[in-house]
Amino acid sequence: GVLPKRLVQVMLEDATAHAPLLYHEEPILRDGEIVGSTRSGAWGHRVERSIGMGYVQHAAGVTADWLAGGRWEIEVAGERYAARAQLQPWYDPKGERIKI
């Protein structure tokens, strides 16, 4: 069955030097509504963006389709930043980029 609460990967859209770092407990918003919070975060050197992990909730289940269908934001120090959310990690887990 589907799970109403899942650990997701988040990444800020902003790839500039002005993008904030994610640490922990930043609110995760979908379509303007808080649906969870980050548990950890850091700078993703391979993706050159601020990334993190956090738990989000949705009564009908947290699925890849639900994640893809929303407008995501992370709130850092009172400001909201556009973000992406997905179930899979941001790096290349199969090593396909190395094989090019």
Side-chain angles (χ1 to χ4, degrees), residues 21-66:
L21 287 177
L22 302 178
Y23 293 102
H24 59 82
E25 298 304 324
E26 291 91 4
I28 301 173
L29 299 97
R30 182 183 188 272
D31 297 332
E33 179 183 333
I34 295 174
V35 294
S37 64
T38 61
R39 293 297 187 253
S40 66
W43 182 254
H45 293 278
R46 291 185 184 262
V47 294
E48 297 182 356
R49 294 175 197 256
S50 191
I51 60 174
M53 296 186 298
Y55 284 98
V56 296
Q57 296 184 48
H58 179 57
V62 176
T63 64
D65 288 340
W66 181 75

